[in-house]
Amino acid sequence: MQSAMFLAVQHDCGSMDKSSGNSPKSEEKREKMKRTLLKDWKTRLSYFLQNSSSPGKPKNGKKSKQQTFIKPSPEEAQLWSEAFDELLASKYGLAAFRAFLKSEFCEENIEFWLACEDFKKTKSPQKLSSKARKIYTDFIEKEAPKEINIDFQTKTLIAQNIQEVTSGCFTTAQKRVYSLMESNSYPRFLESEFYQDLCKKPQIATEPHAT
């Protein structure tokens, strides 16, 4: 629902640009729309952080895990542009990237990648098998609810691999999805106004010296 609202704002903004010309009033309206869009980004990201910080229920009503998400400094945020891995290694950066993908209706890519990361860390053969089946039904099989965009050969290979589950069942697909995000969604995220805002250093107000 939030994604739909986000895109609706984008659509309205585009329509306004086309109809209002280049008058001072139209420039003011565009700036106001940009501020609204940026505010929506921050609100949605805050909501996302609060609701995705922990996969399980909080114990004893504590919210300690939610407090692990600390807004990065401009210098830390700028590191995300150096490598895709830098972004994924940051809890705040990962959450921001997930929110961005959600706004573009392609969050299945990062969700699949994260599911694979969790899958590879699983030690129990029973859990490994059940997780493999869930990943396959959620992301791989035809008309899966979060079907990822991979070629038929890779899908066939996965279907064969999960007959005898190993931690490497989804390695090929995970690499393809990683490459897709790195070359496609990641550059767009770095160009987003939300990310650019995180990288801005706060301006220090200075009082004029008395003469």
Side-chain angles (χ1 to χ4, degrees):
M1 179 177 178
Q2 290 175 326
S3 300
M5 291 174 61
F6 177 76
L7 292 181
V9 170
Q10 286 185 309
H11 175 75
D12 291 343
C13 186
S15 299
M16 183 179 294
D17 286 347
K18 292 179 181 179
S19 61
S20 57
N22 296 318
S23 65
K25 288 186 177 181
S26 66
E27 289 293 335
E28 183 179 345
K29 287 181 179 179
R30 278 196 289 269
E31 288 301 317
K32 184 176 180 181
M33 184 63 73
K34 286 181 181 179
R35 290 194 296 269
T36 301
L37 187 60
L38 184 58
K39 183 179 180 181
D40 176 70
W41 246 108
K42 292 178 178 178
T43 301
R44 183 154 37 83
L45 176 58
S46 176
Y47 175 86
F48 189 90
L49 288 170
Q50 291 175 7
N51 289 274
S52 64
S53 57
S54 173
K57 296 181 179 179
K59 296 180 180 180
N60 301 324
K62 295 182 179 180
K63 298 182 180 180
S64 58
K65 289 191 175 183
Q66 293 185 3
Q67 296 172 359
T68 61
F69 289 99
I70 302 174
K71 183 178 179 179
S73 66
E75 291 77 14
E76 290 171 326
Q78 287 168 7
L79 288 175
W80 302 348
S81 66
E82 295 184 2
F84 188 36
D85 284 337
E86 290 283 352
L87 174 64
L88 297 182
S90 164
K91 290 183 178 181
Y92 195 101
L94 176 60
F97 186 59
R98 289 181 71 179
F100 175 75
L101 292 181
K102 191 174 182 65
S103 76
E104 295 201 331
F105 293 96
C106 56
E107 67 269 27
E108 69 276 0
N109 289 329
I110 191 64
E111 289 183 10
F112 171 73
W113 186 85
L114 289 170
C116 289
E117 288 294 288
D118 175 69
F119 176 77
K120 291 186 295 187
K121 297 174 184 176
T122 304
K123 303 298 182 182
S124 167
Q126 291 79 13
K127 288 184 179 180
L128 200 67
S129 181
S130 63
K131 286 184 178 182
R133 175 54 58 181
K134 180 170 177 56
I135 291 175
Y136 182 79
T137 56
D138 283 353
F139 300 100
I140 307 299
E141 68 180 2
K142 186 177 180 180
E143 298 183 359
K146 302 177 183 179
E147 186 176 2
I148 57 173
N149 185 20
I150 56 175
D151 59 271
F152 178 77
Q153 289 182 335
T154 303
K155 287 190 174 186
T156 302
L157 178 62
I158 292 174
Q160 294 172 352
N161 287 343
I162 63 174
Q163 300 305 314
E164 295 183 10
V165 178
T166 67
S167 60
C169 280
F170 303 100
T171 299
T172 301
Q174 187 183 16
K175 287 180 179 179
R176 290 183 185 277
V177 167
Y178 178 95
S179 178
L180 178 64
M181 292 191 295
E182 184 178 33
S183 62
N184 194 341
S185 302
Y186 173 54
R188 291 202 305 275
F189 171 76
L190 296 180
E191 293 174 358
S192 69
E193 190 167 356
F194 173 76
Y195 175 69
Q196 296 297 325
D197 184 64
L198 281 178
C199 293
K200 289 180 181 177
K201 294 183 179 180
Q203 296 182 349
I204 302 175
T206 56
E207 296 182 1
H209 295 287
T211 55

